[in-house]
Amino acid sequence: MQGEPQVRPNKVLSDIDPIVYFGSPTKGKPYGKQYITLREYKSLAEGTPLHDYIVKIYGNILLDKFPNENRIMIFESEFWNTLKSMKEATPEERHARLNRFNYDVDIFYKDLLIFVACVANHWILYLVIQPGLVDMAIGSEERMEKGGPLIVVLDSLSSLRYDHESELINLRNYLMCEWNEKKPDRPKYTFSQNEIKFIQPKVPQQPMNSQD
Protein backbone atom coordinates (compact mmCIF):
# COMPACT_ATOMS: atom_id res chain seq x y z
CA MET A 1 0.00 0.00 0.00
CA GLN A 2 1.42 3.34 -1.02
CA GLY A 3 2.79 5.40 1.88
CA GLU A 4 2.24 2.60 4.43
CA PRO A 5 4.99 0.46 6.02
CA GLN A 6 5.33 -3.12 4.80
CA VAL A 7 6.94 -5.75 7.02
CA ARG A 8 9.44 -8.08 5.42
CA PRO A 9 8.54 -11.83 5.57
CA ASN A 10 10.14 -13.89 8.35
CA LYS A 11 13.74 -15.01 7.80
CA VAL A 12 17.02 -15.08 9.72
CA LEU A 13 18.14 -11.45 9.76
CA SER A 14 21.32 -9.58 10.49
CA ASP A 15 21.31 -6.13 12.10
CA ILE A 16 21.79 -4.41 8.75
CA ASP A 17 18.94 -6.18 6.99
CA PRO A 18 15.85 -4.10 6.17
CA ILE A 19 12.73 -5.34 7.93
CA VAL A 20 10.12 -2.60 7.34
CA TYR A 21 9.74 -0.87 3.97
CA PHE A 22 7.97 2.39 3.26
CA GLY A 23 6.33 3.02 -0.09
CA SER A 24 6.43 6.41 -1.77
CA PRO A 25 4.31 8.91 0.18
CA THR A 26 1.22 10.36 -1.47
CA LYS A 27 2.92 13.73 -2.02
CA GLY A 28 5.73 12.12 -3.93
CA LYS A 29 8.60 12.82 -1.50
CA PRO A 30 10.91 9.97 -0.41
CA TYR A 31 11.51 8.98 3.21
CA GLY A 32 15.28 8.76 2.86
CA LYS A 33 16.34 5.18 2.25
CA GLN A 34 12.68 4.06 2.69
CA TYR A 35 13.28 1.14 5.06
CA ILE A 36 14.15 0.39 8.68
CA THR A 37 16.89 -2.11 9.51
CA LEU A 38 16.80 -4.64 12.32
CA ARG A 39 19.37 -2.57 14.29
CA GLU A 40 17.17 0.53 14.04
CA TYR A 41 14.08 -1.48 14.98
CA LYS A 42 15.82 -2.87 18.08
CA SER A 43 16.33 0.69 19.32
CA LEU A 44 12.57 0.83 19.99
CA ALA A 45 13.02 -1.60 22.91
CA GLU A 46 12.51 -0.15 26.39
CA GLY A 47 15.75 1.06 27.97
CA THR A 48 17.54 1.28 24.59
CA PRO A 49 18.81 4.56 23.09
CA LEU A 50 16.54 5.47 20.19
CA HIS A 51 18.24 5.43 16.77
CA ASP A 52 18.21 8.82 15.03
CA TYR A 53 16.81 7.35 11.79
CA ILE A 54 13.66 6.24 13.63
CA VAL A 55 13.17 9.85 14.75
CA LYS A 56 13.85 11.11 11.22
CA ILE A 57 11.43 8.82 9.40
CA TYR A 58 8.67 9.26 11.99
CA GLY A 59 8.99 13.03 11.66
CA ASN A 60 8.77 12.80 7.86
CA ILE A 61 5.69 10.58 8.04
CA LEU A 62 3.95 13.02 10.39
CA LEU A 63 4.97 15.96 8.24
CA ASP A 64 3.47 14.32 5.16
CA LYS A 65 0.08 14.26 6.89
CA PHE A 66 -0.06 18.04 7.48
CA PRO A 67 -2.15 19.95 4.91
CA ASN A 68 0.29 22.89 5.08
CA GLU A 69 3.45 20.81 5.47
CA ASN A 70 5.39 23.22 3.25
CA ARG A 71 5.12 25.74 6.11
CA ILE A 72 7.08 23.41 8.41
CA MET A 73 10.73 22.35 8.21
CA ILE A 74 12.52 19.68 10.23
CA PHE A 75 16.27 19.87 10.88
CA GLU A 76 17.58 16.42 11.75
CA SER A 77 19.94 15.62 14.62
CA GLU A 78 22.93 15.84 12.27
CA PHE A 79 22.32 19.59 12.06
CA TRP A 80 22.48 19.96 15.85
CA ASN A 81 25.55 17.74 16.12
CA THR A 82 27.32 19.87 13.52
CA LEU A 83 26.20 23.05 15.29
CA LYS A 84 27.72 21.86 18.57
CA SER A 85 30.88 20.37 17.14
CA MET A 86 32.34 23.64 15.80
CA LYS A 87 33.23 25.08 19.19
CA GLU A 88 36.04 27.38 18.03
CA ALA A 89 34.34 28.55 14.84
CA THR A 90 32.90 32.01 14.33
CA PRO A 91 29.13 32.29 13.73
CA GLU A 92 29.84 32.95 10.06
CA GLU A 93 32.08 29.88 9.73
CA ARG A 94 29.51 27.72 11.49
CA HIS A 95 26.75 29.02 9.25
CA ALA A 96 28.75 28.28 6.10
CA ARG A 97 29.12 24.66 7.25
CA LEU A 98 25.41 24.36 8.07
CA ASN A 99 24.18 25.92 4.84
CA ARG A 100 23.70 22.53 3.19
CA PHE A 101 20.92 21.61 5.60
CA ASN A 102 18.31 24.12 4.46
CA TYR A 103 18.49 23.28 0.75
CA ASP A 104 18.39 26.96 -0.26
CA VAL A 105 15.01 27.33 1.45
CA ASP A 106 14.12 30.71 2.94
CA ILE A 107 13.33 29.51 6.46
CA PHE A 108 11.80 32.87 7.38
CA TYR A 109 8.73 32.05 5.28
CA LYS A 110 8.12 28.99 7.46
CA ASP A 111 5.63 28.96 10.34
CA LEU A 112 7.58 26.34 12.27
CA LEU A 113 11.18 25.12 12.34
CA ILE A 114 11.81 21.89 14.28
CA PHE A 115 15.37 21.23 15.41
CA VAL A 116 15.93 17.68 16.65
CA ALA A 117 18.76 17.37 19.20
CA CYS A 118 20.21 14.32 20.94
CA VAL A 119 22.19 15.07 24.11
CA ALA A 120 23.74 12.08 25.92
CA ASN A 121 21.15 9.70 24.38
CA HIS A 122 18.33 12.06 25.36
CA TRP A 123 16.13 13.59 22.63
CA ILE A 124 15.11 17.25 22.84
CA LEU A 125 13.09 19.37 20.42
CA TYR A 126 13.82 23.04 19.82
CA LEU A 127 11.00 24.80 18.00
CA VAL A 128 11.34 28.17 16.27
CA ILE A 129 7.87 29.60 15.70
CA GLN A 130 7.34 32.17 12.94
CA PRO A 131 10.96 33.34 12.76
CA GLY A 132 10.13 35.88 10.04
CA LEU A 133 8.16 37.96 12.55
CA VAL A 134 11.48 39.16 13.97
CA ASP A 135 11.15 41.88 11.31
CA MET A 136 8.06 43.32 13.03
CA ALA A 137 8.39 46.01 15.67
CA ILE A 138 8.78 44.59 19.19
CA GLY A 139 5.54 45.08 21.11
CA SER A 140 3.53 45.92 18.01
CA GLU A 141 -0.12 44.84 17.90
CA GLU A 142 0.38 42.80 14.72
CA ARG A 143 3.33 40.92 16.21
CA MET A 144 1.39 40.14 19.39
CA GLU A 145 -1.64 38.93 17.40
CA LYS A 146 0.49 36.51 15.38
CA GLY A 147 2.07 35.08 18.57
CA GLY A 148 5.68 35.07 17.49
CA PRO A 149 8.51 34.84 17.03
CA LEU A 150 9.33 32.31 19.74
CA ILE A 151 11.89 29.64 20.56
CA VAL A 152 10.31 26.76 22.48
CA VAL A 153 12.13 23.81 24.01
CA LEU A 154 10.39 20.48 24.67
CA ASP A 155 12.43 18.48 27.17
CA SER A 156 11.08 15.43 29.02
CA LEU A 157 14.04 15.48 31.45
CA SER A 158 13.86 19.11 32.50
CA SER A 159 14.65 18.07 36.08
CA LEU A 160 18.28 17.81 34.95
CA ARG A 161 18.23 21.62 34.58
CA TYR A 162 20.03 21.49 31.25
CA ASP A 163 21.28 24.93 30.29
CA HIS A 164 19.14 25.44 27.21
CA GLU A 165 19.68 29.19 26.97
CA SER A 166 23.43 28.65 26.75
CA GLU A 167 22.84 25.92 24.17
CA LEU A 168 20.68 28.27 22.13
CA ILE A 169 23.42 30.84 21.63
CA ASN A 170 24.65 28.91 18.60
CA LEU A 171 21.10 28.57 17.25
CA ARG A 172 20.49 32.30 17.62
CA ASN A 173 23.75 32.98 15.81
CA TYR A 174 22.73 30.61 13.03
CA LEU A 175 19.40 32.42 12.62
CA MET A 176 21.22 35.76 12.59
CA CYS A 177 23.63 34.66 9.84
CA GLU A 178 20.82 33.05 7.86
CA TRP A 179 18.80 36.28 8.06
CA ASN A 180 21.78 38.34 6.89
CA GLU A 181 22.21 36.03 3.91
CA LYS A 182 18.56 35.68 2.90
CA LYS A 183 17.46 39.24 3.77
CA PRO A 184 20.43 41.50 2.91
CA ASP A 185 18.15 44.51 2.33
CA ARG A 186 16.31 44.22 5.64
CA PRO A 187 17.41 45.55 9.08
CA LYS A 188 19.95 43.42 10.95
CA TYR A 189 18.92 41.33 13.96
CA THR A 190 20.90 39.29 16.48
CA PHE A 191 17.89 37.11 17.41
CA SER A 192 18.48 37.97 21.05
CA GLN A 193 16.03 37.14 23.83
CA ASN A 194 14.53 40.58 23.36
CA GLU A 195 13.92 39.95 19.65
CA ILE A 196 12.84 36.30 19.83
CA LYS A 197 11.87 35.04 23.26
CA PHE A 198 12.75 31.60 24.62
CA ILE A 199 10.21 29.66 26.67
CA GLN A 200 10.19 26.15 28.14
CA PRO A 201 6.65 24.90 28.78
CA LYS A 202 5.92 22.01 31.12
CA VAL A 203 5.74 18.68 29.28
CA PRO A 204 5.23 15.09 30.52
CA GLN A 205 8.41 13.88 32.23
CA GLN A 206 10.13 10.51 31.97
CA PRO A 207 11.99 8.56 34.67
CA MET A 208 15.53 9.77 35.34
CA ASN A 209 17.06 6.37 34.58
CA SER A 210 15.24 5.83 31.27
CA GLN A 211 16.50 6.07 27.70
CA ASP A 212 14.65 7.83 24.89
Side-chain angles (χ1 to χ4, degrees):
M1 186 183 304
Q2 191 158 1
E4 296 296 329
Q6 301 176 20
V7 181
R8 184 171 181 165
N10 290 335
K11 59 166 282 189
V12 178
L13 298 171
S14 69
D15 278 350
I16 62 173
D17 278 330
I19 61 168
V20 180
Y21 290 86
F22 294 83
S24 299
T26 56
K27 296 181 182 178
K29 290 182 299 185
Y31 297 141
K33 64 179 185 242
Q34 301 192 67
Y35 59 81
I36 292 175
T37 66
L38 181 60
R39 178 185 292 116
E40 292 157 354
Y41 178 77
K42 286 178 178 177
S43 75
L44 292 169
E46 185 175 354
T48 305
L50 187 62
H51 196 284
D52 58 352
Y53 185 69
I54 296 290
V55 177
K56 172 185 175 179
I57 201 166
Y58 184 68
N60 286 338
I61 291 171
L62 288 178
L63 189 59
D64 191 58
K65 296 180 182 299
F66 276 88
N68 295 322
E69 50 88 24
N70 63 319
R71 306 288 294 179
I72 303 171
M73 186 168 181
I74 299 177
F75 291 79
E76 299 160 15
S77 58
E78 185 184 356
F79 176 94
W80 203 263
N81 292 339
T82 305
L83 187 72
K84 286 177 59 68
S85 67
M86 303 178 66
K87 295 180 180 179
E88 304 302 323
T90 66
E92 291 75 18
E93 291 170 339
R94 193 176 288 112
H95 176 260
R97 175 86 176 274
L98 294 166
N99 231 359
R100 62 189 174 91
F101 287 94
N102 63 4
Y103 314 109
D104 296 323
V105 173
D106 187 344
I107 63 174
F108 301 102
Y109 284 111
K110 301 292 185 181
D111 292 330
L112 177 63
L113 308 176
I114 303 175
F115 294 88
V116 180
C118 186
V119 181
N121 291 328
H122 172 57
W123 292 93
I124 302 170
L125 292 181
Y126 294 99
L127 313 180
V128 180
I129 300 172
Q130 296 182 314
L133 295 186
V134 71
D135 204 25
M136 290 186 176
I138 295 174
S140 66
E141 183 176 345
E142 185 177 8
R143 182 169 175 159
M144 292 170 58
E145 285 179 354
K146 291 181 178 294
L150 283 174
I151 297 176
V152 180
V153 61
L154 303 179
D155 183 0
S156 60
L157 279 177
S158 57
S159 57
L160 293 179
R161 302 186 183 279
Y162 188 67
D163 187 5
H164 293 292
E165 186 55 64
S166 175
E167 187 79 9
L168 287 173
I169 291 175
N170 287 337
L171 178 57
R172 293 182 186 276
N173 285 337
Y174 168 77
L175 294 172
M176 175 188 69
C177 292
E178 187 70 6
W179 178 270
N180 291 341
E181 180 180 283
K182 294 293 197 305
K183 312 289 185 182
D185 299 326
R186 300 302 302 161
K188 305 298 183 185
Y189 301 102
T190 62
F191 287 80
S192 65
Q193 172 70 6
N194 188 45
E195 294 169 342
I196 177 168
K197 293 188 181 301
F198 159 64
I199 62 172
Q200 184 174 355
K202 291 183 178 180
V203 297
Q205 297 292 288
Q206 65 186 82
M208 286 288 292
N209 61 348
S210 64
Q211 298 276 4
D212 62 358

